[in-house]
């Protein structure tokens, strides 16, 4: 099969590699669409050298959907059948450790050992024609959710996990920093989960897109100070929840400065190993909760439902779709901020 292989840092190439064999409890899936995200760019550039990927050659790709073609031994018990369209999770925790047993398999204590796999990061990803995955990581897509929309479930589910973890209250204001795919989906998830107002902070044309997707207010940080603007839009008090989706370390301090006293700040964007400056007194004196949000445990079914019912819109985000051969163009369009999410179709 054809696959996009990372041969060395900044060295991606289309190669022929063997089709994976589905093992015990696994399904073989024909990949219908796979997105490229900011983490992929950081991985390709070597920001997580020694961890992601553990070695070369490596197949990237962790935001995807496809169609089940065959089942390995024991996988039938999952209820999946060939022909089912599915979206795939990436965190395959060991299932045995304390965190896995508590449902927090995104925080598996065996991370870094062979019993733990993070597909597209420590185990082969899906920028390829086929991928084999444990059936328990696959979630069936209803007809209302297209293959390309299915490739966005991964990022939306991260927003679901963030909204759950921050205990968003009905009637509150949720601010999102960073109008990339993650931010634009998180804002919609927050609205669908009871936020009466959403505000997105960013710049340029993406703010128009945010409005089209139902975001109530936008703040262009090139036109006005984002902290001041968030305060002004909330009667001087600040939003109850701030979701940092940009991965820019400078935004962490802004989020902490803008959030309401007693509010919560969630960090969803990865900073590529960089450090952020924060003022601890702001957390202490205002009893601000600062939380990290990793991946999307138990969140795929809810996200698929939000897409199927139209509560979260993604059609305007699916503007750049490429055949697998054009992987370089797809990366370039993403780097240049032309594409919110390039989708590669093998
Ligand atoms: Zn990603
Ligand atoms: Zn575990």
């Amino acid at each position: 099969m054809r696959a996009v292989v990372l041969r060395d840092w900044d060295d991606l190439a289309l190669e022929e590699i063997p089709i994976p064999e589905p093992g015990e409890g696994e399904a073989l899936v024909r990949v219908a669409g796979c997105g490229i995200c900011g983490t992929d760019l950081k991985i390709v550039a070597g920001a997580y050298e020694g961890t992601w990927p553990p070695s070369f050659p490596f197949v990237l790709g962790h935001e995807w959907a496809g169609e089940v073609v065959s089942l390995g031994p024991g996988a039938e018990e999952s209820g999946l059948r060939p022909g089912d369209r599915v979206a795939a999770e990436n965190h395959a925790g060991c299932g045995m450790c304390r965190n896995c047993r508590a449902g927090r398999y995104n925080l598996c204590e065996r991370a870094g050992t062979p019993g733990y796999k993070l597909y597209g990061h420590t185990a082969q990803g899906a920028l390829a024609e086929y991928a084999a995955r444990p059936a328990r990581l696959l979630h069936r897509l209803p007809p209302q959710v297209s293959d390309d929309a299915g490739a966005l479930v991964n990022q939306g589910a991260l927003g679901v996990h963030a909204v759950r973890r921050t205990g968003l209250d009905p009637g509150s204001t949720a601010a999102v920093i960073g109008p990339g795919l993650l931010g634009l989906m998180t804002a919609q998830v927050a609205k669908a989960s009871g936020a009466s107002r959403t505000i997105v902070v960013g710049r340029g044309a993406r703010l128009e897109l945010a409005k089209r997707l139902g975001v109530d207010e936008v703040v262009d940080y090139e036109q006005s100070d984002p902290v001041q603007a968030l305060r002004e839009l909330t009667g001087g008090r600040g939003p109850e929840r701030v979701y940092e989706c940009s991965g820019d370390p400078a935004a962490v301090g802004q989020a902490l400065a803008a959030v309401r006293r007693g509010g919560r700040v969630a960090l969803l964007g990865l900073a590529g190993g960089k450090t952020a400056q924060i003022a601890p007194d702001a957390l202490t004196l205002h009893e601000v909760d600062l939380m990290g949000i990793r991946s999307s445990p138990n969140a795929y079914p809810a996200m698929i439902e939000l897409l199927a019912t139209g509560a979260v819109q993604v059609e305007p985000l699916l503007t750049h779709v490429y055949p697998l051969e054009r992987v370089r163009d797809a990366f370039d369009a993403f780097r240049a901020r032309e594409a919110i999410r390039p989708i590669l179709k093998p």
Side-chain angles (χ1 to χ4, degrees), residues 37 62-63 154-155:
C37 85
H62 60 270
E63 301 183 4
N154 172 282
Q155 291 285 280

Side-chain angles (χ1 to χ4, degrees), residues 4 45 103-104 115 144 159 162 169 238 274 289 334:
V4 175
R104 303 186 77 178
Q144 304 93 307
D169 278 326
K274 291 186 202 135
D289 298 330
F334 188 59

Side-chain angles (χ1 to χ4, degrees), residues 7-98:
R7 299 184 296 195
D8 203 338
W9 306 123
D10 289 314
D11 181 11
L12 283 171
L14 195 69
E15 290 186 4
E16 280 286 328
I17 63 169
I19 294 175
E21 284 282 324
E24 184 82 31
E26 290 189 338
L28 181 68
V29 184
R30 186 185 297 114
V31 179
C34 181
I36 296 167
C37 85
T39 304
D40 292 317
L41 291 190
K42 288 167 193 148
I43 291 174
V44 168
Y48 299 104
E49 189 170 348
T51 312
W52 300 344
S55 60
F56 299 119
F58 189 78
V59 179
L60 289 170
H62 60 270
E63 301 183 4
W64 65 284
E67 184 185 323
V68 174
V69 287
S70 65
L71 298 167
E76 285 200 356
E77 286 176 36
S78 66
L80 286 174
R81 295 291 175 265
D84 284 347
R85 295 166 56 252
V86 291
E89 290 191 64
N90 302 307
H91 269 273
C94 71
M96 300 294 204
C97 75
R98 197 180 285 209

Side-chain angles (χ1 to χ4, degrees), residues 92-101 104-111 115-116:
C94 71
M96 300 294 204
C97 75
R98 197 180 285 209
N99 281 346
C100 280
R101 287 164 68 164
R104 303 186 77 178
Y105 51 93
N106 57 326
L107 307 177
C108 175
E109 291 174 350
R110 297 203 177 123
Y116 164 89

Side-chain angles (χ1 to χ4, degrees), residues 11-345:
D11 181 11
L12 283 171
L14 195 69
E15 290 186 4
E16 280 286 328
I17 63 169
I19 294 175
E21 284 282 324
E24 184 82 31
E26 290 189 338
L28 181 68
V29 184
R30 186 185 297 114
V31 179
C34 181
I36 296 167
C37 85
T39 304
D40 292 317
L41 291 190
K42 288 167 193 148
I43 291 174
V44 168
Y48 299 104
E49 189 170 348
T51 312
W52 300 344
S55 60
F56 299 119
F58 189 78
V59 179
L60 289 170
H62 60 270
E63 301 183 4
W64 65 284
E67 184 185 323
V68 174
V69 287
S70 65
L71 298 167
E76 285 200 356
E77 286 176 36
S78 66
L80 286 174
R81 295 291 175 265
D84 284 347
R85 295 166 56 252
V86 291
E89 290 191 64
N90 302 307
H91 269 273
C94 71
M96 300 294 204
C97 75
R98 197 180 285 209
N99 281 346
C100 280
R101 287 164 68 164
R104 303 186 77 178
Y105 51 93
N106 57 326
L107 307 177
C108 175
E109 291 174 350
R110 297 203 177 123
T113 71
Y116 164 89
K117 283 181 176 165
L118 179 52
Y119 292 97
H121 299 69
T122 69
Q124 297 286 0
L127 276 176
E129 286 182 87
Y130 295 92
R133 290 292 181 274
R136 66 189 160 88
L137 298 187
L138 301 174
H139 299 268
R140 217 181 262 116
L141 294 173
Q144 304 93 307
V145 180
S146 70
D147 291 338
D148 295 349
L152 307 187
V153 169
N154 172 282
Q155 291 285 280
L158 179 56
V160 168
H161 181 43
V163 166
R164 280 181 181 159
R165 228 164 106 57
T166 54
L168 183 76
D169 278 326
S172 57
T173 297
V176 171
I177 303 177
L181 177 68
L182 177 59
L184 294 172
M185 290 187 91
T186 298
Q188 294 185 74
V189 171
K191 190 87 183 228
S193 307
S196 48
R197 262 175 106 210
T198 52
I199 308 173
V200 165
V201 179
R203 67 182 165 100
R206 291 193 177 183
L207 296 179
E208 287 308 309
L209 189 54
K211 287 230 147 186
R212 271 173 65 201
L213 293 169
V215 167
D216 297 296
E217 313 272 359
V218 295
V219 172
D220 189 330
Y221 65 78
E222 289 182 330
Q223 313 279 324
S224 54
D225 174 67
V227 174
Q228 213 183 326
L230 286 173
R231 289 279 162 139
E232 276 166 17
L233 287 168
T234 51
R237 292 191 296 276
E240 279 94 343
R241 301 285 180 267
V242 181
Y243 300 94
E244 202 304 286
C245 297
S246 74
D248 180 349
V252 178
Q254 291 169 355
L256 291 172
V259 74
R260 185 168 300 204
R261 297 186 84 186
R264 285 192 183 145
V265 172
L267 307 184
L268 291 77
L270 277 177
K274 291 186 202 135
T275 53
Q277 263 201 324
I278 62 165
D281 284 356
L283 269 78
T284 308
L285 297 175
H286 297 167
E287 287 201 347
V288 169
D289 298 330
L290 176 61
M291 20 177 75
I293 309 294
R294 177 173 198 180
S295 191
S296 46
N298 313 302
Y300 269 50
M303 189 61 227
I304 291 168
E305 186 67 13
L306 288 170
L307 289 172
T309 55
V312 169
Q313 299 287 330
V314 292
E315 282 311 314
L317 305 171
L318 293 165
T319 50
H320 289 65
V321 178
Y322 301 85
L324 200 58
E325 298 74 42
R326 291 185 57 201
V327 60
R328 287 218 181 89
D329 293 338
F331 269 84
D332 288 346
F334 188 59
R335 270 193 209 101
R337 288 173 49 91
E338 285 160 22
I340 295 268
R341 191 52 105 240
I343 303 285
L344 287 155
K345 295 177 85 69

